[in-house]
Amino acid sequence: MAVSGDPKSRGELRSFDNSDELATNLAEYIAQLSDISVKDRGVFTIALSGGCLINLMGKLCEAPYSKTVDWTKWYVFWADERAVSKNHVDSNYKLAKDGFLSKVPVLNSHIYSINDNATTEDAAEEYEFTIRQLVKVRTVDVSAISDCPKFDLILLCVGEDGHIASLFPGHPALEDKDNWVTFITDSPVPPPERITFTLPVINSASNVALVVAGEENKANALSIIFSDDNDDIDALSLPAQMVRPTDGELVWFVAKGISSEPDGSNSGHGCPP
Ligand SMILES: O=C1O[C@H](COP(=O)(O)O)[C@@H](O)[C@H](O)[C@H]1O
């Protein structure tokens, strides 16, 4: 594993020779944050997204983590969801349920999925309300800086256009400072209707992990994001580049095969099985 980057700006960069090594390190990172949060606050609040992430979390379902992680203290949320039913192949809930949550003893009552039986507008409003109730009782911590929920960890996959959650380049939802959860009806990547955390919520988390794996053509977004040209307009307009936790830690997990780093091979990687 190679570690670099400026923690104050773009975060810590962890690059790996392949997706398997990335998955091993990601599992250890999540398990450690879970331990710390459970010791500090008695709970671990984690927000998932879709894409390659869930496959890469697979090692958490195996020893030692299957036994050592305090799964009963986990509270699980989604940073974004597509407006499809929960049994649809495009559902981020289904992806996480089938690939991860059904394999670990997280309590069903601690799994906060997004309503698939309402309009996207109503589902977003309802999800924000649910999170507000959990903030009131401090199951979800609160940021003293932004008054937003302060999740212990938000896990995001970076799309090949640099999108994170369902926040896409140039989309007005990126400017939303008033809501914790919002909706879009015109996603450039299907399905068009989605519900998503807003940037203020993402940037209020204690920890954010940005995962870049699975597709060779993500190298382009990466090279823009890690460009040394701080005035690069393209870089500043990429949602992934807008992730800058105000009072938290940012770590990038990059599979070297798609890295823009000089030692990356650019040979491309699929998700691990
Ligand atoms: O549409 C989405 O895309 C991103 C990135 O996914 P990937 O397939 O390019 O890895 C994902 O993180 C997000 O949750 C999802 O809804």
Side-chain angles (χ1 to χ4, degrees):
M1 176 184 72
V3 178
S4 62
D6 173 7
K8 289 201 176 61
S9 57
R10 287 175 284 192
E12 177 192 336
L13 171 63
R14 299 185 186 183
S15 64
F16 303 90
D17 286 337
N18 53 58
S19 298
D20 195 57
E21 283 182 18
L22 188 159
T24 300
N25 196 272
L26 182 66
E28 181 59 24
Y29 164 83
I30 297 170
Q32 281 181 6
L33 291 179
S34 167
D35 283 355
I36 292 168
S37 296
V38 171
K39 273 189 199 106
D40 283 358
R41 305 198 311 107
V43 298
F44 180 53
T45 56
I46 177 170
L48 307 174
S49 55
C52 212
L53 175 71
I54 301 301
N55 270 333
L56 291 166
M57 290 174 71
K59 291 191 195 286
L60 278 174
C61 310
E62 300 167 7
Y65 307 114
S66 51
K67 298 275 185 281
T68 55
V69 169
D70 196 347
W71 299 105
T72 60
K73 303 293 194 307
W74 277 43
Y75 287 74
V76 180
F77 302 82
W78 274 263
D80 80 310
E81 183 57 281
R82 291 97 177 265
V84 293
S85 70
K86 284 200 171 74
N87 57 12
H88 192 282
V89 67
D90 284 340
S91 161
N92 285 344
Y93 167 82
K94 178 177 166 53
L95 184 71
K97 182 77 181 166
D98 293 352
F100 176 61
L101 293 171
S102 60
K103 300 174 183 171
V104 291
V106 174
L107 302 175
N108 274 335
S109 58
H110 291 182
I111 297 177
Y112 290 90
S113 60
I114 297 176
N115 190 350
D116 61 343
N117 223 353
T119 63
T120 42
E121 183 170 7
D122 288 350
E125 200 176 307
E126 190 185 294
Y127 205 51
E128 179 167 322
F129 180 79
T130 300
I131 296 169
R132 282 189 187 278
Q133 303 314 302
L134 293 166
V135 166
K136 265 189 198 154
V137 296
R138 290 295 186 272
T139 300
V140 177
D141 206 359
V142 65
S143 161
I145 299 171
S146 66
D147 260 352
C148 282
K150 190 174 176 72
F151 288 94
D152 296 314
L153 174 62
I154 298 182
L155 290 165
L156 302 167
C157 259
V158 180
E160 63 177 76
D161 57 357
H163 82 267
I164 39 120
S166 285
L167 297 170
F168 292 88
H171 197 284
L174 283 168
E175 307 301 325
D176 192 334
K177 309 259 185 303
D178 301 326
N179 298 295
W180 292 356
V181 183
T182 191
F183 66 100
I184 65 169
T185 55
D186 55 357
S187 162
V189 179
E193 295 197 51
R194 290 151 176 262
I195 293 114
T196 183
F197 280 2
T198 56
L199 272 175
V201 169
I202 293 170
N203 282 331
S204 296
S206 294
N207 297 277
V208 181
L210 290 174
V211 180
V212 193
E215 304 210 16
E216 195 174 345
N217 36 12
K218 289 183 180 176
N220 185 38
L222 260 188
S223 66
I224 296 172
I225 291 163
F226 283 95
S227 142
D228 284 330
D229 181 358
N230 289 331
D231 296 327
D232 189 328
I233 302 285
D234 284 347
L236 296 176
S237 66
L238 284 186
Q241 180 72 337
M242 297 175 188
V243 179
R244 307 275 172 122
T246 43
D247 184 28
E249 303 296 326
L250 171 63
V251 182
W252 289 79
F253 291 82
V254 178
K256 206 185 277 171
I258 54 164
S259 171
S260 61
E261 294 294 286
D263 55 346
S265 69
N266 271 333
S267 59
H269 275 283
C271 297

